[in-house]
Amino acid sequence: MTEKMCRVRVDGETREYKTGTTYQQIAEDFQPRYEHRIVLAYEDGRLRELRKPLEDDCELRFVTTGDEIGHSTYKRSMCFLLIKAVHDVAGHERIERVRIHFSLDKGYYCTVEGEVQVDETFLERVSVRMRELSDQKIPINKRSVHTDEAVALFHRHGMFDKERLFEYRRVSKVNIYSMNEFEDYYYGYMVPDAGCLRYFSLHLYDEGFVIQMPVREAPETVPEFHPSPKLFHVLKESVRWGDCQNIDTVGALNDMVTRGDMREVVLVQEAHQERQIGEIAKEISERGNVKYVLIAGPSSSGKTTFSHRLAIQLRVNGLIPHPIAVDNYFVDREHTPRDKDGNYNFECLEAIDIEKFNTDMQDLTAGKEVRLPVFDFLTGKRKYESKPQKFGPDDILIIEGIHCLNPKLTEAMPDESKFKIYISALTQLNVDEHNRIPSTDGRLIRRLVRDARTRGSSASRTIAMWPSVRRGEEENIFPYQEQADVMFNSSLLYELAVLKQYVEPLLFNVDKDSEEYPEAKRLLKFFDYFVGIGSEYVPTNSLLREFIGGGCF
């Protein structure tokens, strides 16, 4: 019997392959044309893993580690390789659990619990084992099992976080990945074998270690590890807080939603944040010479609500705060710099009239009368319609903007009069112990909800803009975060259960033929893990209200 041949079109060229040929085998024929390693493929527009066998005529578009989705697939697969190697080196019976906690520098901070001493010798053995598995090109296999079978399997493996997670899944099948005898679950696509996973380094840090991996722009180069001590402290405290509340994974949150008192959970999270804001206000007050409170953070961190709540706490401490938005000092539109694509670049420092901003701020603190501008985004010009303002000796300026930690923005203001705050929504909740929820996902979800409510923006438009927003953050915000006097985590343990109700209808409205659909589909699948709750318990002064509406500010 003659084997069926299929016509496969790649990069404008058509070739014939036998049915059953894997996409990985086809990718090897075209790999020399690509600068970076091929790890996934789009089959007629649908994203596929390379282990998939060819079944019919199709068009393939390959995804490499230099693409956003391919880079995420590489990092996810590297976590699997790491956990497999840790178990191989230490022995399954000596390990209680391995936790992938959060992003740090260009990698992930991890801990190992059990009868294991994590030191340089242990990490070296793990690193050697990872490279052995990579050199052997150990396949990463996938099988689909019934959800009930998966729950029983995770129970046998002692993966109780995954057992708890899948008790709430309504899908009938679960994909289980394996390397030799080691089985695990991962949320998202994986590379076909360990041979794809060659670039990493392990670094002992604090109570655990960091697995450092390449960035998307240079996927064959492992950057040096540069820890961020202040950011790490905030992230570690957030994990400790989640553990203290017994809400460290989505399954644990779902348990609380279905079996606990969510009103109390919400109130405790909100009280915790209010206490932190109060402590920051007290620190500002006790310093005595602060005139400029500078607040910076990436998109959808809740800067506006935070500044209002901080202002209230500053009043409690006897100060008189005044909010100032740096955005009102944009240069007139015709003077706004443009990016490489010819679009206005509102996120670069040169888009701000720095000289005028510094002059006004100095004059205010000197007790002079100042007419503050308001930028009109429709006309692209500043307006001076408000009454002149004059501040007293106990007045303090709360200045909010993405460049507020960049010393060039406030170069004319004395450093001893500044108090710098970095705020970000640093997600402390993870899907399970091996599957992180990136903070960028949490912020994107917040922005999807807010943009739809306040700007009428579709989910497609927000998703399409997100890479540009992220590039601006990498250039203008993150390099200065360690210069902050304090850092504030605006993420709430319960918020994704609330946001689920708001964001799902927006994501379902994304056109299946659009470029944004794969991202919308990924987020929809992500929310399948959550049991949703209403917003009736969320206080009107909550940071979450900035996104879902109904806030008192």
Side-chain angles (χ1 to χ4, degrees):
M1 183 176 177
T2 305
E3 290 182 302
K4 178 184 174 183
M5 301 296 290
C6 297
R7 293 169 61 82
V8 179
R9 186 172 179 81
V10 180
D11 298 336
E13 178 184 345
T14 300
R15 297 187 186 183
E16 290 193 342
Y17 292 92
K18 296 177 183 178
T19 57
T21 303
T22 66
Y23 291 168
Q24 183 180 13
Q25 292 171 305
I26 299 173
E28 288 170 358
D29 290 344
F30 290 89
Q31 182 64 67
R33 301 184 182 182
Y34 290 80
E35 182 180 359
H36 307 302
R37 183 66 176 259
I38 296 171
V39 289
L40 296 171
Y42 280 101
E43 171 206 81
D44 295 330
R46 297 187 65 183
L47 194 60
R48 302 291 193 185
E49 292 177 317
L50 293 184
R51 65 178 58 78
K52 186 181 185 300
L54 184 62
E55 298 174 353
D56 212 335
D57 295 351
C58 65
E59 181 173 355
L60 296 181
R61 178 164 61 89
F62 290 119
V63 176
T64 75
T65 51
D67 299 310
E68 189 65 44
I69 295 175
H71 183 237
S72 297
T73 298
Y74 181 89
K75 293 195 294 183
R76 183 183 306 114
S77 305
M78 185 62 79
C79 289
F80 188 25
L81 178 64
L82 168 68
I83 295 166
K84 159 69 174 166
V86 168
H87 279 263
D88 284 356
V89 169
H92 300 300
E93 69 285 348
R94 298 179 60 221
I95 293 179
E96 293 179 12
R97 58 179 182 171
V98 181
R99 298 177 71 181
I100 311 290
H101 288 286
F102 46 74
S103 180
L104 189 66
D105 193 30
K106 306 304 179 186
Y108 298 145
Y109 176 69
C110 315
T111 57
V112 181
E113 298 176 19
E115 300 174 17
V116 180
Q117 182 178 352
V118 178
D119 53 20
E120 293 288 2
T121 301
F122 177 77
L123 285 189
E124 177 60 28
R125 292 177 62 200
V126 170
S127 180
V128 168
R129 181 56 178 156
M130 290 174 72
R131 299 196 186 282
E132 287 175 352
L133 294 168
S134 179
D135 291 342
Q136 295 167 16
K137 298 183 179 180
I138 298 296
I140 298 178
N141 296 311
K142 181 170 75 172
R143 64 189 179 100
S144 184
V145 303
H146 192 276
T147 302
D148 291 342
E149 183 182 343
V151 170
L153 181 147
F154 293 135
H155 182 81
R156 290 197 303 273
H157 288 335
M159 297 178 176
F160 303 119
D161 56 317
K162 291 178 170 61
E163 176 187 6
R164 175 187 272 177
L165 178 70
F166 281 98
E167 287 178 352
Y168 295 96
R169 285 299 298 276
R170 288 171 290 184
V171 295
S172 58
K173 295 288 186 179
V174 175
N175 291 324
I176 304 294
Y177 290 96
S178 63
M179 270 195 230
N180 292 337
E181 85 298 342
F182 189 75
E183 296 181 307
D184 205 347
Y185 170 78
Y186 283 89
Y187 154 60
Y189 295 105
M190 303 286 274
V191 302
D193 62 59
C196 302
L197 308 172
R198 307 191 63 81
Y199 307 105
F200 69 92
S201 58
L202 302 181
H203 304 269
L204 199 66
Y205 193 73
D206 197 66
E207 298 174 352
F209 62 94
V210 171
I211 176 169
Q212 186 82 334
M213 292 174 281
V215 297
R216 182 179 62 82
E217 294 76 13
E220 289 81 36
T221 303
V222 182
E224 291 185 17
F225 175 51
H226 298 291
S228 303
K230 292 180 181 177
L231 181 64
F232 175 77
H233 174 73
V234 172
L235 287 164
K236 185 179 177 183
E237 279 300 302
S238 296
V239 170
R240 186 198 63 77
W241 170 251
D243 290 350
C244 179
Q245 301 300 306
N246 292 317
I247 306 176
D248 56 343
T249 63
V250 174
L253 176 61
N254 289 339
D255 278 353
M256 198 65 70
V257 171
T258 57
R259 304 169 193 173
D261 182 353
M262 278 309 295
R263 181 190 298 273
E264 181 177 332
V265 169
V266 170
L267 291 176
V268 169
Q269 307 311 309
E270 295 290 345
H272 179 61
Q273 281 198 345
E274 190 64 26
R275 186 186 71 178
Q276 291 177 307
I277 296 171
E279 289 172 351
I280 293 171
K282 184 179 179 183
E283 186 175 346
I284 293 170
S285 174
E286 290 178 346
R287 187 172 292 188
N289 59 345
V290 175
K291 285 298 179 182
Y292 311 102
V293 176
L294 305 170
I295 303 173
S299 174
S300 304
S301 294
K303 295 186 289 292
T304 301
T305 302
F306 171 81
S307 63
H308 283 296
R309 288 175 64 173
L310 179 62
I312 291 171
Q313 290 289 346
L314 287 171
R315 286 187 177 277
V316 171
N317 283 271
L319 300 173
I320 304 173
H322 298 275
I324 302 288
V326 176
D327 285 0
N328 284 325
Y329 285 87
F330 276 131
V331 297
D332 288 347
R333 187 67 40 83
E334 63 267 25
H335 302 304
T336 302
R338 294 180 182 267
D339 61 20
K340 62 181 180 180
D341 299 320
N343 300 315
Y344 288 119
N345 185 356
F346 297 108
E347 298 186 352
C348 68
L349 186 61
E350 291 72 23
I352 304 295
D353 187 341
I354 297 176
E355 183 178 353
K356 176 62 174 172
F357 170 74
N358 278 268
T359 299
D360 282 359
M361 298 305 104
Q362 286 182 301
D363 286 349
L364 282 172
T365 53
K368 297 180 181 180
E369 199 171 75
V370 177
R371 189 183 294 272
L372 295 173
V374 174
F375 191 81
D376 187 329
F377 286 88
L378 291 178
T379 63
K381 294 182 180 296
R382 274 174 279 168
K383 294 182 178 180
Y384 291 86
E385 297 177 344
S386 61
K387 294 180 179 180
Q389 297 194 40
K390 185 176 181 180
F391 294 166
D394 292 325
D395 293 30
I396 188 169
L397 304 182
I398 301 182
I399 304 171
E400 174 209 329
I402 66 171
H403 298 287
C404 276
L405 297 188
N406 185 338
K408 291 182 180 179
L409 176 68
T410 56
E411 58 188 0
M413 304 176 196
D415 288 339
E416 62 270 17
S417 298
K418 302 174 187 175
F419 189 93
K420 294 172 285 187
I421 301 173
Y422 176 76
I423 174 175
S424 186
L426 304 166
T427 307
Q428 62 265 56
L429 190 73
N430 283 334
V431 174
D432 58 39
E433 290 167 1
H434 301 163
N435 287 272
R436 298 178 53 254
I437 298 178
S439 291
T440 51
D441 277 3
R443 291 192 294 108
L444 172 58
I445 291 161
R446 282 180 168 190
R447 181 153 179 164
L448 283 163
V449 173
R450 185 189 63 192
D451 283 6
R453 181 178 62 82
T454 63
R455 302 176 184 176
S457 295
S458 67
S460 292
R461 176 173 171 76
T462 302
I463 291 171
M465 291 174 55
W466 191 241
S468 175
V469 173
R470 295 278 292 113
R471 284 194 297 272
E473 294 169 352
E474 292 285 350
E475 294 172 7
N476 301 310
I477 300 175
F478 299 147
Y480 304 102
Q481 61 189 15
E482 283 293 308
Q483 296 181 19
D485 293 292
V486 297
M487 290 188 175
F488 179 79
N489 184 2
S490 69
S491 178
L492 293 153
L493 283 170
Y494 71 86
E495 70 177 69
L496 289 170
V498 174
L499 290 168
K500 173 185 172 83
Q501 327 301 320
Y502 293 86
V503 78
E504 281 186 332
L506 305 175
L507 295 170
F508 276 120
N509 200 36
V510 175
D511 193 304
K512 291 187 177 181
D513 295 325
S514 70
E515 292 185 7
E516 294 76 40
Y517 179 70
E519 178 70 351
K521 182 181 177 182
R522 180 184 73 85
L523 292 173
L524 282 169
K525 181 184 176 184
F526 166 69
F527 274 107
D528 280 345
Y529 294 112
F530 288 84
V531 177
I533 60 173
S535 60
E536 61 271 17
Y537 297 152
V538 181
T540 58
N541 70 337
S542 172
L543 283 156
L544 191 56
R545 288 288 177 188
E546 184 170 326
F547 306 96
I548 65 175
C552 61
F553 300 119

